[in-house]
Amino acid sequence: MDIKVYQPLRSEPHQQTVDQVLAALDTDADVGLSGTEARSRLDRFGRNELTAEEPAPAWQKFLAQFNDILVILLLIAALVSFLLWLYERESALPYEAMAISAIVLLNAVMGYIQQARAEQAVAALQQISAAQASVVRDGARQNIAAAEIVPGDIVLIEEGDTIPADARLIQTAVLQTAEAALTGESLPISKDIAPVAGEAGLGDQRNMVFSGTSATYGHGRAVVTATGMQTAMGHIAGMLKTAQPETTPLQKELDRVGKLLGIIVVIIAVVMIATILLVEDVTGISAIFDVLILGVALAVAAVPEGLPAIVTAVLSLGVQRMAKRSAIVRHLAAVETLGSANVIASDKTGTLTRNEMTVRVIATASGRVTMGGTGYAPEGALSRHGGGEIAGALRSELVRTLSAADRANNAVLHEREGRWTVQGDPTEGALIVAARKAGLEAEALDARFARLGEVPFSSERKLMSTLHSDAERHERLLALTKGAPDVLLARCSYELAGEEARPLTESRRAEILATNEALAGEALRTLGVAFRSLPKGAAGPNAIDEGVEQDLVFLGLIGMIDPPRQEAKDAVARAKGAGIRPIMITGDHPKTASVIAAELGITANDRAVTGVEIGKMSEEALERTVREVSVYARVNPEHKLRIVKALQRNGMTVAMTGDGVNDAPALKTADIGIAMGITGTDVSKEAADMVLADDNFATIVAAVEEGRAIFANIRKFLRYLLSSNIGEVMTMFFGVLLIDVIGPSQPGGGLVLPLLATQILWINLVTDGAPALALGVDPVDPAVMNQPPRPRDEGVITRRMWGGIFFVGLVMAAGTLLVLDASLPGGLIEGTGTMRYGQTMAFTTLMIFQLFNALNAHSDEESVFRGLFRNRWLWAAIVLSLFLHVIVIYVPFLQEAFSTTSLDAGDWFLCAAVASSVLWLRELSKIITRAMDGGGGV
């Protein structure tokens, strides 16, 4: 692929030298742009974003609310009703046509508002998870939104970062990038800063990095040459414009349920229309038309066509609530999966611990030094283990060990307003702090040991090396290496004793490993430090590789501690109480991992399985192991992936944390991939379903709680909507079939119906909107964490839920028809009212039934009186619905439109008393359900 890309340059940047590109862009490699200049260029070049497809205008979204066959039929019905009124003129105004039109319009407005709120919520989520980038501006490193990057910005690139814009490299340290998304090249591309002569395709521009690709190894610095649609990715962005909105499995299932209910209700409506036309004495165009309108109205009211929009709104609002608790969900489907998670496989450092490493011990050939102080403040006393002065050989070894640890390091120690912070890896930060405590100043070390190159840390090697010149000994170069002690020791041939490098004997190796084990037993994380002298011309900045990590001189062991988070201990207990098994997976020493895991309550024994052991296990053996072992140490990303798959083969739903580039496969394979927001790489965040803004294990447990609550709320409004709608259908269906039993026909003949079309539509409008949304934002019930995880294959609507839905629907229908019968002459209960009075009583009873049902919908098992007043929004929705119904009953104009008549206090008492039966009968059924569950029934 060879794409010509517009640049704010006279020629292609890959053909120019670094100095030429910097000069053309009027920027400085060390200082970067000023804030003022950056804002000016942002105005000139625009935001660093791919142009999205223009959103549909508001009027189109509003008209889309009418794009439903049932709604269109209602509009046609309103038109026909208006024409019949013009022909017959039986009333002063076309009340029926006006009522139908008004209800359809109000439904459209509510649908538009729900859709708009869902879109706003999703947009807010996208803003929360917006990409960030590290740049140099005004001479300081800053993290800014990637969309605010401009040509001329100096971008800092670390392993795992997503490249935010097209840029010309100006510094590299064995940098490699993955460009398959752009060029199709499957292998990482090694980068350098040398100009590329002549025409070159993107894949051959080794001194360029491109927007949307990612750094897989090493690090570098680059100057931005193109942003937004002017990047190489921008030229192929057309394929991104047609991306469809995310649809979760839950939304698909509900859409399927809605369509199935729609088919069933339409069949019932057709059967009901046919029954009325065949059984009743229906004559005249007007009467036949009333029957047809009734069928369409019933179908419109009973089909929960707004379910997908409500689900999207509830999911999105719930996810925003999760974001406030530092859990940023990238995919809505993860919310559903969170409720099923029964294993949380977490890293240790920074997630279960504070990620504030503090060096406690330095062990060298001549003894052991203990270091005081906590955190990143370079303050703390040094003392010799066993007493005595830190002098002579021990002092020399201490200085050499900490100097090497300080130099083989990419972290930076800052003081801002009296507070010390570390920019970079916390472990490396702790080493710098230790060096400062020992009196080693950065300026002196910088002056003597200038860095020439680097072999970055990798999880496979577990080592990191840097190459330096020595201003005091010009004839040599120094390779400084730090890493896992057991791995490093295997590459050492000598040990420093005082100023002398002596051969490392097998007995001394054993002693060092024993010391390492002892430090790990004290819950200290250990690092080994070593060096190697090389001849002046042995290696250059671009020639250093893993080969320098041989024949090293061992300097010493450094033991540091990262104390467990107190909230993590509480979160582990909560997780266990919720039926979730916490697992620790770490690269640390097995002893350290076991001590921390035991302290947090993750495991009751000290067993930890290492990566080496996992590598020797068959898949069957690993499946058996993961059932019993909860601590895994010295693992690499491949081991993580095998552990996840083994847990899943055991039927577990796994939430897995990760932060590195190589964690991406495990994060994608896990049912819920969780990336670290602070220490995590861009690649890991892209692979994850959720990002922890605070890298805290307690946040994972809080997210599970929120996820369970969101799913429970969705079930609540489903239970409410479906039972209420089925109650309406049953009322109409059985009302038509049993009308001769309920009461006589209207005087003078004519069609007798339990409810009119406009009344059904009004109930649907008033009770299906506000109460359903209020149930969707029900506060989190603490009891959700006292229940086991939801089975992964369990549908959103269970068999028990369907039983409760039909039971409530039947109670509603029976109660409404009973009130109708009691209000009319004849029938099972003698009444004295007119048909209009009877329909008003049935109308009011069914409406109040649904308001009581909103209280019922909290659970299929728990009593309605538990937390009755917890949701103030639900009570507000109930009061609003009741108020609107009162208006329809008493306002003369609306009485004509909805064929209602005024009711007295006794009528209201009767309607409310009968409607409350759904509460008491459902409470009785819940008592029976709880008793059956207690006895082992389902």
Side-chain angles (χ1 to χ4, degrees):
M1 182 186 297
D2 188 2
I3 300 174
K4 288 290 185 180
V5 184
Y6 164 80
Q7 314 285 352
L9 300 165
R10 292 180 180 274
S11 60
E12 297 288 351
H14 68 268
Q15 299 172 348
Q16 302 178 47
T17 65
V18 169
D19 290 339
Q20 287 173 330
V21 175
L22 291 171
L25 290 166
D26 192 21
T27 189
D28 184 277
D30 297 318
V31 179
L33 299 174
S34 67
T36 303
E37 177 62 19
R39 287 190 292 273
S40 173
R41 295 191 185 193
L42 187 62
D43 293 337
R44 177 184 171 193
F45 294 106
R47 290 174 65 81
N48 179 33
E49 296 171 330
L50 299 180
T51 304
E53 193 173 47
E54 284 295 321
W59 63 268
Q60 281 188 8
K61 293 179 182 179
F62 180 71
L63 289 181
Q65 306 301 318
F66 301 94
N67 189 23
D68 181 275
I69 185 63
L70 294 176
V71 175
I72 292 171
L73 286 175
L74 270 183
L75 291 173
I76 294 172
L79 176 62
V80 173
S81 176
F82 174 71
L83 295 175
L84 283 174
W85 173 80
L86 287 177
Y87 176 73
E88 296 176 349
R89 296 283 183 172
E90 292 181 351
S91 58
L93 292 170
Y95 291 113
E96 183 179 62
M98 293 169 64
I100 293 173
S101 300
I103 290 172
V104 170
L105 182 63
L106 285 171
N107 263 320
V109 170
M110 287 184 62
Y112 173 79
I113 292 172
Q114 286 177 0
Q115 180 184 346
R117 286 183 175 173
E119 290 174 353
Q120 289 167 5
V122 171
L125 293 181
Q126 292 172 343
Q127 189 65 34
I128 289 171
S129 58
Q132 299 285 305
S134 291
V135 300
V136 176
R137 286 185 180 173
D138 293 314
R141 179 171 180 161
Q142 302 178 22
N143 282 330
I144 65 170
E148 296 176 4
I149 283 178
V150 296
D153 260 326
I154 303 299
V155 178
L156 304 177
I157 302 168
E158 301 288 345
E159 179 181 324
D161 286 353
T162 296
I163 308 301
D166 288 3
R168 170 67 159 87
L169 288 164
I170 56 179
Q171 292 177 17
T172 63
V174 289
L175 178 66
Q176 294 181 358
T177 62
E179 298 180 352
L182 188 62
T183 67
E185 175 59 54
S186 58
L187 297 176
I189 306 297
S190 295
K191 297 292 184 177
D192 57 49
I193 63 173
V196 178
E199 296 292 329
L202 295 181
D204 296 322
Q205 296 178 21
R206 299 302 179 99
N207 56 11
M208 295 287 295
V209 288
F210 301 100
S211 175
T213 62
S214 58
T216 60
Y217 193 69
H219 57 86
R221 180 177 291 220
V223 57
V224 173
T225 57
T227 59
M229 294 302 291
Q230 307 307 323
T231 62
M233 189 65 77
H235 282 254
I236 56 173
M239 66 183 70
L240 303 177
K241 292 185 179 180
T242 57
Q244 297 297 313
E246 177 186 4
T247 303
T248 72
L250 173 63
Q251 290 169 314
K252 292 176 182 176
E253 180 182 353
L254 293 181
D255 189 45
R256 187 169 59 251
V257 169
K259 288 177 179 176
L260 177 63
L261 284 176
I263 293 170
I264 294 171
V265 169
V266 167
I267 292 172
I268 291 174
V270 170
V271 170
M272 190 179 69
I273 290 170
T275 302
I276 293 172
L277 294 176
L278 291 174
V279 175
E280 299 291 335
D281 181 20
V282 180
T283 58
I285 295 176
S286 180
I288 294 173
F289 180 69
D290 285 344
V291 174
L292 295 177
I293 288 181
L294 178 69
V296 174
L298 182 63
V300 170
V303 176
E305 68 281 342
L307 272 184
I310 295 177
V311 169
T312 301
V314 171
L315 279 173
S316 301
L317 292 171
V319 167
Q320 286 187 58
R321 197 166 65 224
M322 291 171 71
K324 292 178 181 177
R325 298 180 72 171
S326 299
I328 300 170
V329 174
R330 298 185 65 251
H331 305 294
L332 289 178
V335 177
E336 304 165 36
T337 314
L338 276 170
S340 303
N342 45 28
V343 171
I344 300 177
S346 174
D347 193 7
K348 176 182 72 68
T349 304
T351 308
L352 291 165
T353 59
R354 292 186 177 278
N355 205 21
E356 293 179 356
M357 300 298 293
T358 304
V359 172
R360 285 280 180 260
V361 175
I362 300 97
T364 65
S366 300
R368 180 169 164 175
V369 175
T370 301
M371 190 168 281
T374 58
Y376 296 136
E379 302 164 355
L382 278 64
S383 59
R384 183 169 189 161
H385 186 67
E389 187 181 356
I390 303 173
L394 180 59
R395 175 66 189 177
S396 178
E397 293 160 7
L398 175 68
V399 170
R400 296 285 291 275
T401 300
L402 290 179
S403 295
D406 180 281
R407 295 295 86 191
N409 201 309
N410 289 319
V412 180
L413 182 64
H414 293 291
E415 182 188 15
R416 291 192 181 92
E417 299 177 355
R419 183 173 180 267
W420 291 89
T421 59
V422 164
Q423 184 173 314
D425 183 78
T427 299
E428 293 194 329
L431 298 175
I432 295 175
V433 173
R436 301 298 171 270
K437 289 179 181 178
L440 302 173
E441 295 301 327
E443 293 78 10
L445 293 173
D446 287 339
R448 179 175 177 183
F449 303 111
R451 181 183 291 196
L452 302 176
E454 177 184 343
V455 184
F457 175 85
S458 74
S459 54
E460 289 79 17
R461 287 174 28 255
K462 295 186 172 64
L463 297 172
M464 180 249 196
S465 297
T466 54
L467 183 68
H468 301 261
S469 61
D470 186 346
E472 294 184 5
R473 296 179 62 180
H474 297 286
E475 76 281 1
R476 72 170 184 173
L477 300 177
L478 275 179
L480 306 177
T481 302
K482 71 177 192 300
D486 48 351
V487 176
L488 180 65
L489 203 59
R491 298 179 183 235
C492 292
S493 303
Y494 306 91
E495 180 184 21
L496 185 73
E499 293 291 340
E500 178 188 356
R502 65 188 182 191
L504 189 60
T505 64
E506 289 305 315
S507 61
R508 182 58 187 147
R509 285 181 193 274
E511 288 178 17
I512 294 171
L513 289 174
T515 301
N516 188 53
E517 290 289 325
L519 293 175
E522 298 172 25
L524 295 177
R525 181 179 182 183
T526 56
L527 274 178
V529 184
F531 80 98
R532 178 184 178 186
S533 292
L534 298 169
K536 183 78 171 177
N542 298 317
I544 182 172
D545 56 26
E546 298 174 24
V548 303
E549 296 169 347
Q550 303 294 335
D551 291 325
L552 297 169
V553 180
F554 188 77
L555 288 169
L557 291 171
I558 299 177
M560 59 190 77
I561 190 166
D562 181 15
R565 295 176 183 263
Q566 179 56 44
E567 64 269 27
K569 187 173 184 177
D570 298 336
V572 166
R574 289 195 72 208
K576 286 188 169 184
I580 302 169
R581 177 185 165 203
I583 289 178
M584 177 192 289
I585 303 178
T586 179
D588 249 357
H589 193 281
K591 287 282 181 67
T592 306
S594 295
V595 170
I596 297 293
E599 186 174 339
L600 290 171
I602 291 175
T603 182
N605 55 54
D606 60 356
R607 186 182 177 191
V609 172
T610 65
V612 173
E613 293 174 274
I614 293 172
K616 295 177 182 178
M617 288 183 188
S618 66
E619 297 302 326
E620 293 75 18
L622 185 57
E623 283 181 36
R624 291 192 297 272
T625 299
V626 297
R627 293 182 207 135
E628 304 167 359
V629 178
S630 296
V631 181
Y632 301 87
R634 284 287 189 259
V635 298
N636 62 32
E638 288 75 16
H639 299 142
K640 279 188 176 184
L641 184 59
R642 287 191 66 198
I643 292 169
V644 170
K645 289 181 176 179
L647 288 166
Q648 290 173 328
R649 287 195 296 272
N650 276 291
M652 304 294 183
T653 300
V654 183
M656 159 71 80
T657 69
D659 55 10
V661 176
N662 294 331
D663 287 331
L667 291 173
K668 281 185 174 291
T669 301
D671 300 285
I672 309 161
I674 304 172
M676 302 295 105
I678 299 172
T679 60
T681 60
D682 289 345
V683 172
S684 66
K685 293 173 187 176
E686 284 295 319
D689 302 296
M690 188 170 80
V691 178
L692 300 184
D694 58 0
D695 291 9
N696 193 339
F697 180 84
T699 302
I700 304 176
V701 179
V704 170
E705 181 182 41
E706 288 285 359
R708 288 187 178 189
I710 291 169
F711 199 85
N713 287 350
I714 289 172
R715 279 184 163 171
K716 289 171 189 176
F717 74 68
L718 281 175
R719 192 180 288 118
Y720 168 70
L721 280 178
L722 296 180
S723 59
S724 296
N725 289 357
I726 286 174
E728 295 169 15
V729 173
M730 286 184 172
T731 298
M732 295 305 300
F733 185 71
F734 290 115
V736 169
L737 290 182
L738 303 174
I739 195 66
D740 291 335
V741 177
I742 292 172
S745 301
Q746 291 192 64
L751 182 63
V752 179
L753 297 170
L755 296 169
L756 300 178
T758 50
Q759 294 171 345
I760 293 173
L761 291 171
W762 179 255
I763 290 175
N764 184 63
L765 176 69
V766 170
T767 63
D768 278 13
L773 279 174
L775 284 169
V777 294
D778 215 24
V780 176
D781 184 352
V784 298
M785 293 301 280
N786 297 330
Q787 301 165 3
R790 177 176 55 86
R792 183 72 183 273
D793 57 353
E794 181 180 270
V796 64
I797 306 176
T798 63
R799 184 176 299 179
R800 174 174 288 180
M801 278 184 67
W802 278 120
I805 286 166
F806 279 101
F807 174 75
V808 168
L810 192 60
V811 171
M812 284 185 181
T816 302
L817 294 177
L818 188 69
V819 170
L820 179 65
D821 183 15
S823 303
L824 298 173
L828 299 176
I829 304 173
E830 185 64 36
T832 59
T834 63
M835 192 65 206
R836 184 164 181 165
Y837 167 76
Q839 287 174 332
T840 303
M841 289 289 287
F843 179 36
T844 301
T845 302
L846 185 57
M847 194 277 305
I848 299 177
F849 256 129
Q850 297 199 11
L851 298 184
F852 274 114
N853 187 38
L855 300 175
N856 258 336
H858 280 283
S859 172
D860 278 325
E861 299 88 16
E862 294 292 338
S863 170
V864 69
F865 299 105
R866 182 177 167 272
L868 181 61
F869 299 102
R870 188 173 60 226
N871 188 344
R872 66 180 187 276
W873 295 110
L874 179 60
W875 282 102
I878 289 173
V879 170
L880 175 64
S881 299
L882 195 59
F883 172 73
L884 292 173
H885 187 77
V886 168
I887 292 175
V888 168
I889 298 298
Y890 292 106
V891 175
F893 171 78
L894 293 176
Q895 284 180 329
E896 291 298 323
F898 291 93
S899 297
T900 59
T901 187
S902 298
L903 302 177
D904 60 27
D907 295 330
W908 278 98
F909 179 80
L910 175 62
C911 293
V914 172
S916 70
S917 64
V918 75
L919 199 67
W920 311 116
L921 290 173
R922 193 72 182 102
E923 278 295 293
L924 180 61
S925 73
K926 289 178 183 180
I927 291 172
I928 295 171
T929 297
R930 290 196 295 272
M932 291 175 64
D933 284 348
V938 177

